[in-house]
Amino acid sequence: MQRTFELLKILSQASGASGFETKAALVAMEEFKKSCEEVTIDKMGSVIAFKKGQTEKNILLAAHLDEIGLMVTKIEKGGYLRFTEVGGFDQRILLAQEVTIHSKREMKGIIGSKPPHFQEKEEQEKVIKMEDLYIDVGLSQEEVEKSVRVGDPVTLNAPFVKMKDFGLGEKTIRCAGKSFDNRASVVVLIEAMEFLKEVSHNWNVYAVATVQEETIGLGAFTSTYKIHPDLGIAVDVTQGDMLGCAESETFPLTKGTTIAFGPNIHPRIFEGLIDVAKREEIPYQIEPCPGVTGTDAAVIQVVREGIPTGLISIPLRYMHTPVETLAVIDIERAARLLARFIEGLNGWKVEI
């Protein structure tokens, strides 16, 4: 389990806003190299790791590498930076956050706004809008203009926190931090490929850390088109159980990965994942998805003439915040489920 902690830490702490994933991609590439015969970064920036099987059949595993971020839109008088979002932020969490501006030289900053002492009463009763926030890097306007450009990406800074288990065992340990959506699922892919080192598998396996899922789904489109797999499985996060949220719409931590079912999901893949989970005694939860899932699965399914697609997800609390929280055991179980599913693909047919 210590390896999982370390992988999650280094991947989640790497910067990689949607469209600017290079640093995170290089970290993922080095980790995939430890278990895969071939690892490349394609023209769009996705990391593609390959393990050869014994047939010409191909399975694609996809987990998006990008994180939500910000982008500089204007340099104001005094050197303050206006910004917009890249991906979907809850703007309530932005005020007072520490950030990194990825410009000609990286620089730290903080997000500020007019303090309550100068606000009208009606202002104090409302959430501060993003257009009323700004980034302060502590430099003069002249110094800022030499280093920062409009369009530079910005990422939030947040510590990786390993929560205490208080003697309850490793299965209960949670971690919190930024960009677990979806670096946690990239860890799943890395560990699944590590599992496959020890077993014989007939199908070729492509594990892809895709780019720009949070914006346009680019990496899933281009990598799926290139690989043209016989089937694909996306790995993402889903809403974990949280105070004030309906049990019917969330999934408890430590109870296993969710296995999605619905029109975005091929029923044979759903059934195959369930069968493996039962046989291997891997805890799982069924996640009904009545429409488009909002993940790489929605993209993979419609590439070329259509790809039979599945989706598994890790329950995650406080999604799209700097304190996303998960149970590490759910990552390991998801990786084992994928590896065992791939191991059993010999003779598997997608036809209903």
Side-chain angles (χ1 to χ4, degrees), residues 106-236:
E106 285 193 354
M107 58 180 68
K108 303 291 185 184
I110 52 94
I111 297 178
S113 73
K114 183 169 64 173
H117 310 73
F118 296 107
Q119 293 176 359
E120 300 295 334
K121 184 176 180 180
E122 56 270 21
E123 289 182 283
Q124 296 177 8
E125 296 172 350
K126 297 178 181 179
V127 175
I128 301 174
K129 297 179 180 179
M130 191 175 296
E131 54 262 35
D132 294 325
L133 299 171
Y134 53 80
I135 298 170
D136 185 347
V137 297
L139 298 174
S140 68
Q141 181 177 343
E142 182 181 11
E143 290 173 309
V144 170
E145 289 175 342
K146 288 178 180 178
S147 300
V148 180
R149 297 175 300 182
V150 169
D152 281 342
V154 180
T155 52
L156 297 191
N157 300 338
F160 178 89
V161 180
K162 179 180 177 183
M163 297 177 174
K164 298 292 185 182
D165 65 352
F166 295 106
L168 297 176
E170 289 187 330
K171 291 183 179 180
T172 68
I173 296 177
R174 273 81 157 170
C175 289
K178 76 169 189 72
S179 65
F180 288 5
D181 174 12
N182 192 34
R183 307 283 169 72
S185 299
V186 178
V187 174
V188 170
L189 266 55
I190 293 168
E191 294 203 332
M193 300 300 258
E194 188 70 29
F195 276 126
L196 290 172
K197 282 173 58 177
E198 310 301 325
V199 301
S200 174
H201 55 93
N202 282 281
W203 285 38
N204 299 316
V205 185
Y206 291 88
V208 185
T210 63
V211 296
Q212 298 191 47
E213 188 270 353
E214 296 287 0
T215 49
I216 61 173
L218 177 67
F221 269 118
T222 55
S223 60
T224 304
Y225 191 93
K226 177 181 180 179
I227 294 166
H228 197 188
D230 295 277
L231 66 88
I233 298 177
V235 187
D236 213 306

Side-chain angles (χ1 to χ4, degrees), residues 229-265:
D230 295 277
L231 66 88
I233 298 177
V235 187
D236 213 306
V237 293
T238 190
Q239 300 292 346
D241 56 338
M242 294 166 285
L243 193 64
C245 298
E247 290 185 9
S248 60
E249 297 178 358
T250 60
F251 300 88
L253 276 58
T254 76
K255 302 300 182 182
T257 183
T258 69
I259 301 176
F261 186 67
N264 192 182
I265 307 301

Side-chain angles (χ1 to χ4, degrees), residues 51 53-61 196 199-206 229-233 268-273 275-276 279-280 308 310 337-351:
K51 284 187 69 65
Q54 300 171 27
T55 69
E56 296 304 311
K57 293 282 189 178
N58 298 318
I59 180 171
L60 178 147
L61 310 176
L196 290 172
V199 301
S200 174
H201 55 93
N202 282 281
W203 285 38
N204 299 316
V205 185
Y206 291 88
D230 295 277
L231 66 88
I233 298 177
R268 285 283 287 115
I269 298 177
F270 170 77
E271 292 165 3
L273 289 167
D275 289 344
V276 171
R279 185 179 70 244
E280 298 293 327
L337 176 62
L338 283 179
R340 294 306 185 198
F341 177 80
I342 292 167
E343 184 183 7
L345 280 176
N346 186 26
W348 193 87
K349 294 182 180 180
V350 75
E351 289 79 9

Side-chain angles (χ1 to χ4, degrees), residues 65-84:
L65 185 66
D66 58 319
E67 61 183 297
I68 56 174
L70 305 170
M71 178 180 285
V72 176
T73 58
K74 184 180 181 181
I75 301 174
E76 294 276 19
K77 182 180 179 180
Y80 303 104
L81 305 175
R82 296 293 185 184
F83 60 86
T84 189

